[in-house]
Amino acid sequence: MTNQVGYDEPKPTRRRGRRAALIIVSVIAVLVVGALVAAMMYINSLSSAYEDNAQVFEESFPEEEGRPVKAEDDESINILLLGSDANGGSGETEDLPDVPQGGRSDTMMFVHIPGDRDGVQIMSIPRDLWVEVPGQGQHKINAALSLGGLPLTISTIETLFDARIDHVAAVDMLGFTGLVDALGGVTVNSSYGEAFTTGEGYTFQPGEQTMNSEEALSFVRHRKSFPDGDLQRVRNQQAFIRAVIDETLTPGNLSNPGRVQDMVETFSPHLIVDDTLDSSTVASLAWNMRGAASSIDMFTVPTAGNGYSDDGQWIFYQDEAAMDEISSAIQDSTLDEYAASR
């Protein structure tokens, strides 16, 4: 049986319910809560809301041997966030006929939280990036999930950036769009320079526009109109996520317990996390990051053009110089400076 995200259904665990707060709602909303009491009240509301909906991966990380090792004084946190369509593909007319449903992830984001907790860098990884998958040869990066599950996916990304991943989460994009309903709509800033119409018949203009949940889902899934395909879709996903963050952080939402409860209950069934996120980690990180809301940087891993692999797959080539820069920036916790240069 598969769940909303398309991966094998993990066993629900009541005790671990509160752990999922870290990835989306807690780290987004508690960033701007200015008092410990308010933060802890919010964490408690998350804990009770997740009681019946928590999902935890049964297997997440690869064997320890060969994984990157952090320096003893490195207090940064790296989170791999995987996103998928509820149908296992990218929506519209695209499908993956040779891959089990949900066997590949449509969205991959490397989330870096520096040791000083003063900001967050969210780095999107194009799903068609051509990489070395350990033990499997060269493939698109999103194939690692179907070839060896989460452990191989983590090994692939750790090898690519020579950086250790501390936590992993998977989310169905429907979880984000469910938040749109709970928020009463969001205002998204489309970066594409002209109007485009999706397969569902929605037309989006350049600049800011208010979207309901169906419009938002169509917006983040669409890629057919764009000359650079998935790269613009990644920009659209980033714009949508930023819109959700901005709306979640409004004082009216943060001070409304009912609205918070709705957001958590709407989102939690679409989220799965690893089993290393305990409640104390969530509360501590959320409190330490309360001032970082104004320093959320989003960017996409650079590529060196596109083409076709030897077996005929359309791919993005790696920009090896950029990979070296990113690797060094992660290790030095200067990824914010790298993001600012993009």
Side-chain angles (χ1 to χ4, degrees):
M1 179 179 179
T2 57
N3 55 34
Q4 305 273 8
V5 187
Y7 306 105
D8 290 340
E9 184 79 45
K11 296 178 180 178
T13 306
R14 293 175 64 85
R15 182 177 58 86
R16 293 173 179 172
R18 64 202 68 191
R19 296 172 178 170
L22 170 65
I23 304 300
I24 303 295
V25 183
S26 177
V27 167
I28 287 173
V30 182
L31 295 179
V32 294
V33 177
L36 179 59
V37 173
M40 293 311 298
M41 287 177 63
Y42 187 74
I43 292 295
N44 289 337
S45 74
L46 291 175
S47 300
S48 60
Y50 273 113
E51 281 282 316
D52 298 322
N53 294 318
Q55 299 182 79
V56 178
F57 288 118
E58 292 183 345
E59 182 181 25
S60 303
F61 298 101
E63 296 293 329
E64 191 62 34
E65 184 178 358
R67 295 186 68 194
V69 178
K70 285 185 174 181
E72 290 186 5
D73 59 349
D74 185 354
E75 297 182 354
S76 66
I77 295 174
N78 298 321
I79 302 168
L80 174 62
L81 181 60
L82 303 175
S84 179
D85 205 310
N87 296 320
S90 301
E92 297 179 322
T93 60
E94 184 180 34
D95 58 18
L96 298 170
D98 299 322
V99 179
Q101 181 171 332
R104 299 193 185 193
S105 177
D106 298 310
T107 303
M108 309 180 79
M109 293 182 175
F110 186 106
V111 181
H112 178 73
I113 303 172
D116 59 15
R117 307 294 189 258
D118 282 346
V120 181
Q121 288 80 55
I122 302 176
M123 178 172 63
S124 294
I125 306 171
R127 67 173 203 168
D128 296 327
L129 189 66
W130 196 242
V131 302
E132 184 72 22
V133 178
Q136 300 291 335
Q138 290 192 313
H139 294 273
K140 292 183 179 182
I141 194 167
N142 72 335
L145 192 64
S146 62
L147 293 169
L150 276 175
L152 185 58
T153 300
I154 290 175
S155 291
T156 300
I157 294 176
E158 288 185 337
T159 300
L160 183 65
F161 297 116
D162 191 26
R164 188 180 183 89
I165 291 174
D166 302 294
H167 302 295
V168 60
V171 59
D172 185 345
M173 287 305 293
L174 288 175
F176 278 108
T177 55
L179 283 179
V180 176
D181 286 330
L183 291 167
V186 292
T187 300
V188 182
N189 189 358
S190 174
S191 65
Y192 195 59
E194 56 188 77
F196 63 91
T197 300
T198 67
E200 292 77 24
Y202 298 110
T203 298
F204 299 101
Q205 304 292 334
E208 292 187 348
Q209 54 229 278
T210 300
M211 300 181 189
N212 61 30
S213 59
E214 292 183 359
E215 292 167 335
L217 181 59
S218 185
F219 179 79
V220 300
R221 292 174 73 182
H222 187 71
R223 61 182 283 178
K224 188 176 180 180
S225 299
F226 312 130
D228 61 359
D230 201 54
L231 294 184
Q232 182 60 45
R233 184 173 68 159
V234 166
R235 297 183 197 105
N236 290 350
Q237 291 170 349
Q238 292 173 346
F240 170 68
I241 291 172
R242 185 173 293 280
V244 171
I245 291 173
D246 290 345
E247 185 65 28
T248 302
L249 292 176
T250 61
N253 283 324
L254 290 179
S255 62
N256 185 335
R259 179 65 62 85
V260 170
Q261 193 83 1
D262 285 345
M263 288 190 291
V264 174
E265 290 178 347
T266 297
F267 193 84
S268 59
H270 299 275
L271 182 65
I272 315 173
V273 296
D274 68 77
D275 64 358
T276 64
L277 296 175
D278 57 32
S279 57
S280 62
T281 300
V282 172
S284 175
L285 184 59
W287 171 243
N288 290 335
M289 293 180 64
R290 66 194 181 278
S294 61
S295 300
I296 299 176
D297 303 304
M298 293 187 183
F299 66 99
T300 303
V301 172
T303 64
N306 56 64
Y308 290 91
S309 63
D310 291 341
D311 60 357
Q313 298 183 71
W314 192 89
I315 60 174
F316 287 118
Y317 298 108
Q318 286 186 44
D319 183 333
E320 295 186 4
M323 293 302 174
D324 290 340
E325 288 183 61
I326 291 170
S327 174
S328 297
I330 293 172
Q331 294 175 23
D332 298 340
S333 269
T334 58
L335 199 57
D336 57 336
E337 298 176 13
Y338 180 85
S341 71
R342 300 306 306 161

